[in-house]
Amino acid sequence: MPNTEFSSETDTAKQEESGATRPAGTLTGEQRAAITALLDAVRPVSDELGERFAAHDQQLAVVGGPVRDALLGRASNDVDLTTDAVPQRILELVDGWADSVWTVGIEFGTVGLRKKGLQVEVTTYRSESYSPKSRKPDVHYGDNIHDDLLRRDFTVNAMAVRMPSQEFVDPFGGLADLAEGVLRTPGRPEDSFSDDPLRIMRAVRFAAQLGFELAPEVAEAARDMADRLSIVSAERVRDELVKLLLSPDPRRGIELMVELGIAPYVLPEIPKLRLEIDEHHRHKDVYEHSLIVLDQAIELERARGHEPDLVLRLAALLHDVGKPKTRAFEGPGRVTFHHHEVVGASMSRKRLSALRFPKDVITDVSTLVALHLRFHGYGKGEWTDSAVRRYARDAGSQLERLHILTRADCTTRNRRKAAALARAYDDIERRIEKLAEQEELDRIRPDLDGNEIQQILDVKPGPVIGRAYRYLLELRLENGPMSKDDAAAALRTWAAEHL
């Protein structure tokens, strides 16, 4: 077993050359134990592969996120390795040792492999840069770990542990920044964001994910260079947005996106929610309201035992995006947003499509946005059972999310009003549960299928079948389940009047 005493590698000359002035930190006993645990978790890679590379005069190190997370005491599912060996050399060194190898990312210097159930990626030291109008980076291989760490996004991700020596490498003060909870770049932030503009988005994502603050120079560069995000592919931006929304504090990330002028290049609808408010037409701050709804949806999500839910969080954030387009002033002190849920559903669909979200996510989010006001017609429980059935049917598979979103959408400070709304929604949920037990609401269908309608009416397939089907569905929603005979009799009566 390798020696578990850690040394720290620094290179003062190179630090001064790169502009970095923060010295490498010293690992505490607890941090050394965390690094040991990290390497234990990636055996046999940390032993066998490290020694295999060393025997052929090639460097190998665990790098980036896994090191950061180990030092933070966070679990990490990724194992990222870096080396001075070029991809073809990596393939030669793992040939006959790895259980399987894949080369999907070899164009960017990455070779994937699996050994005894452990999956890792090995990437050649490299630097990446984007030309002003390019969406794809130019990749250049390097020959030393210092320069590889210099091109990393933030100092807290620019730490490594060499294998098999277990030497801790921290040339840019990442350990100190980790302790301070600050995001800094290894070199100038302008250079870092120019090399890969997505790092601007990644900065706000890490703020939400890790609870870190952006160093002033990082925030300033992000604000000045936000327009560079326009050259990044929608898929990469989407992936960062997803990670931000699934983080412990997505509100923090959204606020930073708006404050730094990043949102117009990702979710331009969000800053537009900051409607001006005047003394004659008072209404809620829609932007602040949307953030509170997001917070409350997350609280309810956790209270109900759900995992972080992307669809719910997107719907909470976007549920009122239709308000700016539908705002109208109707007399002194009165402002309306008629049909903003319909407009908002269309806008949500358009935005999520532009960000290349999967079709099911787009459909589910837009459905929730379209339905988020439906409950407010419930009043004091005057809805008939058929209205409750329609509510559940229209929500379909999104009913549980709609329950959470509707409850989260109550942000009034009037305790009496809030309590009344909560009681009303408690009532509708109880009624839905009761009806569901009786009728399996999520499977509501007419009591006769298309073939049966065709036989009873003695008609050929065509529009008549669809009209009859919709009539029977409405009948089912209005009256509950019917016997086949009763449904057939009702169908004949309807046909006599309408055909």
Side-chain angles (χ1 to χ4, degrees):
M1 180 175 178
N3 178 15
T4 57
E5 290 298 320
F6 293 88
S7 59
S8 296
E9 177 185 291
T10 61
D11 187 328
T12 303
K14 287 186 176 180
Q15 285 188 41
E16 292 175 352
E17 181 182 342
S18 67
T21 58
R22 299 172 61 79
T26 302
L27 293 173
T28 65
E30 185 177 354
Q31 289 170 330
R32 285 197 296 271
I35 294 297
T36 298
L38 169 65
L39 297 180
D40 285 343
V42 298
R43 288 193 170 88
V45 172
S46 61
D47 290 347
E48 297 177 19
L49 192 59
E51 292 170 359
R52 194 178 185 92
F53 271 59
H56 292 82
D57 296 323
Q58 303 283 183
Q59 302 172 23
L60 188 68
V62 184
V63 69
V67 177
R68 177 202 68 221
D69 287 343
L71 293 171
L72 287 174
R74 301 172 75 243
S76 177
N77 297 322
D78 299 323
V79 182
D80 299 324
L81 306 178
T82 188
T83 180
D84 60 344
V86 297
Q88 188 57 45
R89 184 58 171 157
I90 296 172
L91 291 173
E92 293 172 0
L93 291 173
V94 302
D95 183 40
W97 177 82
D99 296 331
S100 60
V101 176
W102 56 95
T103 58
V104 174
I106 199 166
E107 178 184 359
F108 299 103
T110 299
V111 173
L113 61 90
R114 183 179 290 105
K115 178 69 173 181
K116 296 182 179 179
L118 181 66
Q119 183 172 307
V120 302
E121 290 187 343
V122 186
T123 302
T124 305
Y125 296 154
R126 63 187 186 186
S127 61
E128 296 174 357
S129 61
Y130 285 74
S131 60
K133 297 182 180 181
S134 173
R135 289 180 178 269
K136 293 185 178 180
D138 296 322
V139 178
H140 305 282
Y141 297 139
D143 59 7
N144 68 84
I145 196 168
H146 176 280
D147 290 349
D148 180 78
L149 295 178
L150 175 62
R151 66 97 186 168
R152 303 271 165 171
D153 51 7
F154 303 106
T155 60
V156 296
N157 295 328
M159 298 179 286
V161 181
R162 292 186 183 276
M163 299 189 303
S165 67
Q166 298 193 1
E167 180 182 32
F168 179 59
V169 186
D170 178 27
F172 304 107
L175 192 63
D177 289 337
L178 203 65
E180 293 178 22
V182 175
L183 287 176
R184 290 189 175 87
T185 52
R188 295 190 333 129
E190 294 83 359
D191 296 336
S192 181
F193 293 161
S194 179
D195 285 346
D196 184 356
L198 186 67
R199 291 173 176 175
I200 297 170
M201 186 68 184
R202 195 173 293 148
V204 298
R205 189 256 289 185
F206 278 126
Q209 198 172 55
L210 302 176
F212 282 19
E213 297 292 329
L214 272 58
E217 69 275 11
V218 171
E220 183 179 358
R223 181 180 291 107
D224 292 343
M225 301 177 68
D227 63 334
R228 287 280 288 160
L229 279 169
S230 60
I231 73 166
V232 182
S233 70
E235 291 83 359
R236 294 185 74 212
V237 172
R238 174 204 63 207
D239 290 347
E240 285 298 326
L241 178 62
V242 168
K243 292 175 183 177
L244 186 159
L245 287 171
L246 294 179
S247 72
D249 188 13
R251 177 185 180 132
R252 175 60 178 148
I254 298 298
E255 287 177 328
L256 277 173
M257 286 174 60
V258 173
E259 290 170 12
L260 299 177
I262 297 168
Y265 303 96
V266 182
L267 290 172
E269 297 79 6
I270 301 305
K272 291 178 182 178
L273 294 176
R274 296 186 296 182
L275 303 176
E276 69 275 8
I277 301 174
D278 63 62
E279 59 182 328
H280 302 295
H281 297 97
R282 292 184 292 274
H283 56 80
K284 290 181 180 177
D285 179 338
V286 183
Y287 170 67
E288 178 64 21
H289 165 75
S290 297
L291 294 179
I292 294 173
V293 172
L294 175 61
D295 285 341
Q296 294 185 165
I298 292 171
E299 290 176 7
L300 288 167
E301 172 190 273
R302 292 168 179 162
R304 293 190 176 209
H306 301 317
E307 294 295 318
D309 187 337
L310 176 64
V311 168
L312 173 64
R313 296 181 182 198
L314 279 168
L317 182 63
L318 300 174
H319 77 284
D320 274 348
V321 293
K323 280 191 170 180
K325 283 190 175 182
T326 58
R327 184 173 60 159
F329 301 113
E330 299 182 358
R334 177 171 169 76
V335 62
T336 62
F337 304 97
H338 292 310
H339 306 302
H340 77 267
E341 74 281 12
V342 177
V343 174
S346 176
M347 292 173 64
S348 297
R349 181 178 291 277
K350 183 178 180 181
R351 177 55 50 203
L352 297 181
S353 296
L355 287 169
R356 304 291 192 270
F357 275 90
K359 289 183 179 179
D360 60 334
V361 172
I362 296 171
T363 298
D364 292 345
V365 171
S366 58
T367 295
L368 289 167
V369 173
L371 293 176
H372 82 273
L373 281 186
R374 181 78 65 87
F375 160 73
H376 293 283
Y378 188 68
K380 296 181 180 180
E382 298 95 341
W383 278 9
T384 63
D385 283 352
S386 62
V388 175
R389 290 188 189 98
R390 285 190 180 90
Y391 183 80
R393 181 199 65 178
D394 291 348
S397 63
Q398 302 309 303
L399 183 58
E400 171 66 5
R401 285 172 171 145
L402 183 59
H403 288 334
I404 295 175
L405 176 60
T406 303
R407 289 181 181 275
D409 195 24
C410 175
T411 61
T412 178
R413 295 181 181 179
N414 185 319
R415 293 184 179 180
R416 183 174 298 178
K417 182 178 179 180
L421 287 170
R423 285 194 301 271
Y425 209 86
D426 288 342
D427 184 58
I428 196 173
E429 281 204 68
R430 281 194 296 267
R431 292 179 65 185
I432 289 173
E433 289 175 5
K434 183 177 179 180
L435 288 169
E437 290 174 1
Q438 299 170 352
E439 305 175 26
E440 297 185 36
L441 275 171
D442 58 337
R443 296 183 181 180
I444 285 181
R445 297 290 187 275
D447 297 292
L448 301 173
D449 62 25
N451 290 330
E452 290 169 323
I453 293 171
Q454 186 176 337
Q455 292 172 5
I456 292 168
L457 297 183
D458 192 23
V459 296
K460 294 181 179 180
V464 169
I465 305 300
R467 289 170 57 198
Y469 186 93
R470 288 190 290 274
Y471 164 73
L472 289 172
L473 179 58
E474 288 299 315
L475 203 62
R476 170 68 183 275
L477 289 168
E478 192 69 34
N479 301 322
M482 301 172 66
S483 69
K484 294 284 188 182
D485 290 341
D486 288 345
L491 177 62
R492 292 189 182 97
T493 300
W494 172 84
E497 296 177 358
H498 294 86
L499 298 183

